[in-house]
Amino acid sequence: MEKIDIYDKFIHNILSSKEREEFIARLENDKEFETDFNLYLFTVNGICREVYEDNLDFGLALKSFSKEQLKDLIG
């Protein structure tokens, strides 16, 4: 199983009890694995924040249009 797959399963809490225990033990005992996992979390969090900010910007941009302008844009 790819590291990213196991990271996602851990994050989404879909590992079996045994797999979860093994994952936590590996985080505690394998510093490289822990560093990679933390980097993955940081990256995913950054992507999610960027998408959220883009959605806010898009929403604000739409609110600045009048109904007539929106009709012209959308049809």
Side-chain angles (χ1 to χ4, degrees):
M1 185 180 301
E2 297 275 336
K3 279 185 183 179
I4 291 174
D5 292 334
I6 208 161
Y7 296 162
D8 285 338
K9 287 182 178 186
F10 180 79
I11 292 167
H12 296 291
N13 200 26
I14 55 176
L15 292 174
S16 69
S17 295
K18 182 181 177 189
E19 289 171 323
R20 187 168 187 76
E21 288 174 19
E22 290 171 353
F23 186 93
I24 292 169
R26 189 166 178 196
L27 279 176
E28 293 170 350
N29 299 311
D30 184 341
K31 292 302 173 193
E32 184 178 342
F33 184 78
E34 179 189 23
T35 299
D36 289 348
F37 180 63
N38 287 331
L39 179 61
Y40 181 74
L41 288 176
F42 180 77
T43 303
V44 169
N45 188 30
I47 291 168
C48 290
R49 279 188 306 207
E50 186 67 30
V51 168
Y52 178 75
E53 290 294 322
D54 285 349
N55 287 341
L56 284 178
D57 292 344
F58 181 73
L60 290 173
L62 282 179
K63 287 181 182 180
S64 69
F65 289 114
S66 68
K67 286 183 182 182
E68 291 76 25
Q69 289 171 318
L70 284 173
K71 285 180 186 177
D72 288 341
L73 287 172
I74 298 170

